Amino acid sequence: NGFINLALPFFGFSEPIPPVKTKCNDSEFSEWDSFDYDHDITLQELIDDFEKTHKLELTMVSSGVSMLYASFYSKKKLESRLPMKVSELVKSVTGKDVPAHTKWVMLDVCCEDAEGEDVEVPAIHVNVRN
């Protein structure tokens, strides 16, 4: 990376420092990482995979400004949303189809570990056009 300060006769070059790594259970990740799913999974599959693979409980899932899942939702709402694929869920909540040019949907999640502490995890990318 380089930059020039036009007010001073200064040319600067630097190497970016690596991001801070977060260690949780057996996993280690940073802000630069992402969890990628190569097929359109259901919300229940996503929740189960996080519990099995990362030993984390998903407490909230959102896409953009739309909250797709929250652990405090009513039982009726959860029963209708858990079996939905991510693309169907986004359409159901936002009222709009995933655009035809969009191959991946990015999900932001909030997680808790076994002790109930919040854990920051990278974004989740789901391929909805495989």
Side-chain angles (χ1 to χ4, degrees):
N1 292 336
F3 61 93
I4 300 171
N5 186 338
L6 298 176
L8 303 170
F10 181 75
F11 294 84
F13 295 95
S14 66
E15 289 291 321
I17 60 172
V20 175
K21 296 240 181 209
T22 303
K23 186 164 175 64
C24 180
N25 299 322
D26 299 332
S27 302
E28 187 176 75
F29 38 78
S30 73
E31 293 177 358
W32 293 355
D33 296 322
S34 66
F35 298 122
D36 298 333
Y37 292 89
D38 63 353
H39 64 284
D40 198 3
I41 60 173
T42 66
L43 180 57
Q44 184 66 60
E45 289 172 336
L46 178 65
I47 293 169
D48 293 344
D49 183 61
F50 256 74
E51 287 179 3
K52 185 178 112 187
T53 308
H54 306 290
K55 298 178 182 77
L56 296 172
E57 177 187 351
L58 288 181
T59 55
M60 189 189 75
V61 178
S62 63
S63 178
V65 297
S66 302
M67 190 180 304
L68 307 177
Y69 165 81
S71 57
F72 55 80
Y73 278 171
S74 68
K75 187 175 180 177
K76 181 180 177 186
K77 190 179 273 193
L78 289 176
E79 285 175 352
S80 68
R81 291 187 180 188
L82 288 174
M84 291 178 140
K85 293 196 176 289
V86 170
S87 58
E88 297 166 355
L89 188 55
V90 169
K91 180 181 180 181
S92 170
V93 173
T94 64
K96 299 176 186 174
D97 282 321
V98 175
H101 67 276
T102 303
K103 183 174 180 179
W104 297 86
V105 170
M106 187 175 91
L107 304 175
D108 294 308
V109 297
C110 293
C111 299
E112 289 182 351
D113 61 12
E115 289 82 40
E117 294 293 323
D118 289 338
V119 178
E120 285 194 39
V121 296
I124 298 171
H125 298 124
V126 179
N127 185 343
V128 295
R129 306 263 189 247
N130 52 347

